[in-house]
């Protein structure tokens, strides 16, 4: 089982590097860049704090915390596009996407 108090930083960087992104930055937040897209990636644990700014954001959490994080983000309804990646200790992961915005349904 994953250590819940330690964010999955190495897994997050590995996932984005494997997807062809250039990863830069240290700590629990970094930038992942590919072509025109820049994603601010935050590796999180059980913190209630989510950033208020950005255009594209991805939160990477341990699998057992990912659904709750997605629910918190849905309730907060931030202005930016977001996704949550739930990571298992072995490295497998699942992407939990944000609900479509009303503007994109038009």
């Amino acid at each position: 089982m994953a250590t819940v108090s330690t964010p999955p930083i190495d897994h997050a960087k590995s996932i984005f590097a494997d997807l062809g992104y250039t990863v830069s930055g240290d700590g629990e937040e970094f930038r992942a860049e590919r072509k025109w897209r820049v994603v601010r990636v935050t590796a999180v644990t059980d913190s209630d704090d989510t950033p208020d700014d950005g255009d594209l954001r991805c939160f990477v959490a341990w699998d057992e915390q990912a659904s709750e994080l997605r629910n918190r983000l849905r309730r907060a309804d931030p202005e930016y596009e977001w996704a949550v990646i739930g990571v298992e200790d072995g490295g497998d992961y699942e992407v939990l996407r944000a609900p479509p915005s009303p503007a994109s349904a038009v």
Side-chain angles (χ1 to χ4, degrees):
M1 176 185 253
T3 303
V4 176
S5 61
T6 304
I9 298 166
D10 292 335
H11 290 293
K13 288 182 177 183
S14 177
I15 289 167
F16 278 87
D18 289 349
L19 292 172
Y21 284 80
T22 300
V23 175
S24 60
D26 293 323
E28 296 176 7
E29 184 168 297
F30 61 90
R31 291 169 53 102
E33 300 178 61
R34 184 174 74 184
K35 297 181 183 178
W36 59 270
R37 179 173 290 197
V38 177
V39 180
R40 291 174 59 187
V41 182
T42 306
V44 297
T45 55
D46 56 358
S47 171
D48 285 334
D49 296 333
T50 53
D52 293 329
D53 63 338
D55 291 323
L56 299 172
R57 285 197 163 271
C58 183
F59 300 92
V60 182
W62 294 116
D63 186 55
E64 58 268 14
Q65 300 165 328
S67 291
E68 177 54 34
L69 176 58
R70 178 178 59 178
N71 291 339
R72 278 199 325 259
L73 285 162
R74 283 180 174 167
R75 286 189 301 270
D77 194 24
E79 295 291 319
Y80 47 81
E81 289 185 49
W82 59 268
V84 174
I85 297 177
V87 180
E88 295 179 8
D89 196 31
D92 290 337
Y93 64 92
E94 178 182 4
V95 178
L96 309 172
R97 300 195 187 281
S101 69
S104 67
V106 175

